[in-house]
Structures are given as structure tokens and as C-alpha cells.
Amino acid sequence: MSEPPRFDRGHTDDLMSFLAASPTPYHAVANAAERLEKAGFRQVAETDAWDGTAGGKYVLRGGAIVAWYVPEGAKAHTPFRIVGAHTDSPNLRVKPRPDSGAHGWRQVAVEIYGGPLLNSWLDRDLGLAGRLSLRDGTTRLVDVDRPLLRVPQLAIHLDRAVNSDGLKLDKQRHMQPVWGLSEDVRDGDLVAFLEETAGLDEGSVTGWDLMVHPVEPPAYLGRDRELVAGPRMDNLLSVHAGTAALAAAAGRGPELPYIPVLAAFDHEENGSQSDTGADGPLLGSVLERSVFARGGSLEDRARALAGTVCLSSDTGHAVHPNYAERHDPTHHPRVDGGPILKVNVNNRYATDGSGRAVFAAACEKAGVPFQTFVSNNAMPCGTTIGPITAARHGIRTVDIGVAILSMHSARELCGAKDPFLLANALTAFLEG
């Protein structure tokens, strides 16, 4: 029997605020942590000894967060229910020597991160944000959320064949943004600007992880405002829904039969192989330490993981009205049709029949419809953190998400209902 939904249109409004406030993975996990703090969670340091007390806890590491709620009376071998997601999106990232320019233009040297649709970054007002590492060993988040940079496209007069032959972009030569005029480009100018912007002393920044972002805010679109356009939906839409679902599930307290977990990783877009990626040790370490903190043994850990299920939540492809032939002819996920179950027999997604049953039960409990996505056989299939999580931890994993258009664009498109439909399904899953 379905329960009354926890989330409605207000969830989508809050998603738009979350997207706007999270231009980088570092900002995204800070904002997720702030929401969890309001729900009673507290941060624990990886360098401290952990206790087995009940309640909500979370760990921050770089652009990743793992949060979990231990119900009162939970056993050491109590299984976990995990929502997995990722915090990074394809974009342009600042190189170690950022100051460049030519012919009177001041430019910022950038590297291509992940697989962005390069043309979507052209002629767009861009800000700059990220993490500054300071001489005293601390870090500081910075966000210049105003038009600061632009990657200018070549005028059609100088490329007459662009509309007939297609736009061809060289990642090195054509994607370097301009941010001013100068005949004297000097090393250190960009960092000095950021130090001043962040109110830091000159010379205090010794390292940086910086990336550009479109400054146009998310917005409702369409005659009836039934669509949402915005940046970084892949995959902050899932991070936001998972955070909301974990906070809601924690409200059930001792009634929970499982330990609900949110694991939002960095670096999914380039393979997940990092200390904050899904292919790193972070999730396994947190789960193991949680078991041991409650007095458990290796046997308890094995029992807990054997009963654990993970929903790997990432965006997927809605059927495109202009390119319907690129999709499987019998699987056409639509926006606002509910979350999609992602299936690939070559294990690019981790879903199998038993996982489908778990997800179907959660959607039925939440009163949420769901759809199925399968790639066209003639098209290569993408992948997610799902197969990595399943293989690395031996956890039954199911790949799901929200169907969107313009994936990997600087600005993506989803249905206005799908974010809260996903959050309701995730809440039902975490509550068991």
C-alpha cells in the first residue's frame, strides 16, 4: 500500500536553489551537510575514534560525502540501504598555470574535465568557483558567481561552412575563456584576484581546484512551467534527492529495519578512481567502521553487506523528440514519467531482476510510477557508479535515475515533477 508522498513541487523549488548554490563538488557536499545538520546529523572526523551511538553522522572528504543514520537498538549486523550518487559534472577546470593570453586578451588556461558538450560552453557568461588551499593547511571555498569569463565562438563570417559542415572544436585551441584585456599577462594574476575576492591575505593561497560554471540560474520553462532548465543536474539532482530522502528516513528513528546511507562521490565523470571516487575506499571504510563502532566483528560486517542494497541514482536519457531513432524503439522514457530503471546486460548498469523487484517495491510503497531505460543496440551504453559499487563491495546494486535531455550540456533539462518523484521513491527505499 502506498503512503502519502513526502515531497511535492516545493522539493523542485529547493533543487533549483541547491543547483545554484553548488557550482562545484566542494560546494555541493557543503550544502548537503548543512541540510543534514538541520536534520540532526553531526560530522565525524575520519581521524577520530568513532562511537556506536544511535543517530545521524556524516563524513566529508573533498568533494564527497557519506552520511548514515543508526536507529536506536540497531545490531552490528544490521544491513544498510544505500543511495549512491556523484557530485561532479563535466566542465572546464583551471590549469596549474592559469594566467595566459594573446593579442591583447587576458585568458584563463583550462583543461577539459569529463565529457562535456563543448559547444554548450560557447558564448555563455561564466563564473569561477572551487576550493583554495591555504598556506596554514586549511581550505576555503570561493565562488565568483557573476559574469567573469566567456569562451567566444568564431564569427560565421570567418567560418562560412560552420552550419553546413558542423562545428569542429579543438579542446586546446578553441576552449580557452577570456576574462579581460591586457598586454602584460603575469603569473599569479588570477590567484591574486581570488585572494582579494575571498578576503584572504596576499600570497596565502598555495593550491587550488577551480572550475568555471554558467551563472544563469535554474529556471522553470514551458507554457505551464512543467520543465526545469539548469546546470549540473547530472548528477546534483540525485545528490539533492538523496539528501532529502536520508533526512526524511532518519525521522522514522527506531522504526527503521535498515541503516540508511547516502554516498555521494566525486570523479564519476572521469572513471571514479580516486580517494573520493566510487572506486576508492571511502564507502567501504565508513560501512566497516560503522559496524565495528557498534561492537561488530568481521563476521558481522560480512552479514551486514550480504543484506545490503544500493540504489545508484544518476540521470538517464529521456526520448529526444528530434532524435527518437537514437533510442531503443520499445523503451522511450519520458520526462515526468517517474524515475527510470536502467538496464544493460553487459553490466554497464548493475540492475538485475532481483534489483528490479526491490526498486519496484519502493516505488509502489511511495505511489511513484517508474519507467525502464535500455540503450539502442547500435549505440554504446554509458555507465555509472553502480557496477563499481557492486564489484568493489559485493553489494546488490540497482541503477536508476531521472530522465533528462541535453545530458552533459552546460545547461540540462528535466521535468518539474520528476525530482520529487525520485525523492519519494528514494525515501521509501531507505525506510525499507
Side-chain angles (χ1 to χ4, degrees), residues 20-46:
S22 305
T24 75
Y26 314 112
H27 290 81
V29 297
N31 288 322
E34 182 180 4
R35 283 167 161 74
L36 291 173
E37 290 272 357
K38 291 178 180 177
F41 286 67
R42 62 181 176 86
Q43 184 176 1
V44 294
E46 292 184 82

Side-chain angles (χ1 to χ4, degrees), residues 116-146:
L117 286 169
L118 294 178
N119 64 293
S120 70
W121 292 85
L122 302 179
D123 297 333
R124 190 180 291 276
D125 296 339
L126 304 171
L128 185 66
R131 178 179 64 176
L132 302 174
S133 297
L134 309 185
R135 193 175 299 278
D136 63 6
T138 63
T139 59
R140 179 77 66 86
L141 297 184
V142 64
D143 181 11
V144 185
D145 193 31
R146 66 172 177 84

